[in-house]
Amino acid sequence: MPSKPRRTGHVRSQPLIAVRDVEASSRWYQKVLGCESGHGGPEYEMLLNNGELVLQLHAWDLDEHANLMGPDSAPRGHGVLLWFETTDFDACEEAARALKVEWVEEPHVNPNSRRWEFWAKDPDGYVVVVAAESRAKRA
């Protein structure tokens, strides 16, 4: 069977997660990832890095959106990893340590990808992975 022609359009990920406290989660992600607020407020946030959307945060039970109702009806984030790539791994790690994150996996080199990674839980229990090709040499 012949393959379908490749599409020429651009697709970009724009993940949205439901959180209990949008403003607190926004501050956490801004510190760990070094991104900035693109919207702000207690109901919805757009987190940006160099003007590009990285992550959206939405308050639970605010609107009648499917899957954003009933925060206690299912385990948050089960089966989901929020994976971010950075060019400043050391700064992300330092911010995570300053926030006293709950580590899932402390900073290490993944033997399969040979990339630096750390896995931590955000304030709502979502697993966040920060990865980089390399890291700055420590003195």
Side-chain angles (χ1 to χ4, degrees), residues 90 136-139:
D90 288 341
K137 301 261 189 242
R138 293 186 183 211

Side-chain angles (χ1 to χ4, degrees), residues 45-85:
E45 173 68 285
M46 296 171 61
L47 293 167
L48 309 173
N49 181 259
N50 296 317
E52 294 287 324
L53 180 63
V54 173
L55 181 66
Q56 300 174 82
L57 306 172
H58 195 288
W60 279 105
D61 291 330
L62 181 64
D63 300 314
E64 295 293 326
H65 293 310
N67 266 18
L68 297 182
M69 304 298 292
D72 297 317
S73 62
R76 281 179 305 287
H78 181 72
V80 174
L81 298 174
L82 297 170
W83 205 288
F84 300 96
E85 183 172 353

Side-chain angles (χ1 to χ4, degrees), residues 21 35 92:
D21 185 331
C35 52
C92 293

Side-chain angles (χ1 to χ4, degrees), residues 3 6 9 11 18 21 31 33 37 43 57 60 71 74 83 89 92 97 117 126 132:
S3 65
R6 183 178 165 101
V11 175
D21 185 331
K31 288 177 183 169
L33 299 178
S37 171
E43 299 175 352
L57 306 172
W60 279 105
W83 205 288
F89 187 85
C92 293
R97 288 193 187 283
E117 298 178 354
Y126 291 100

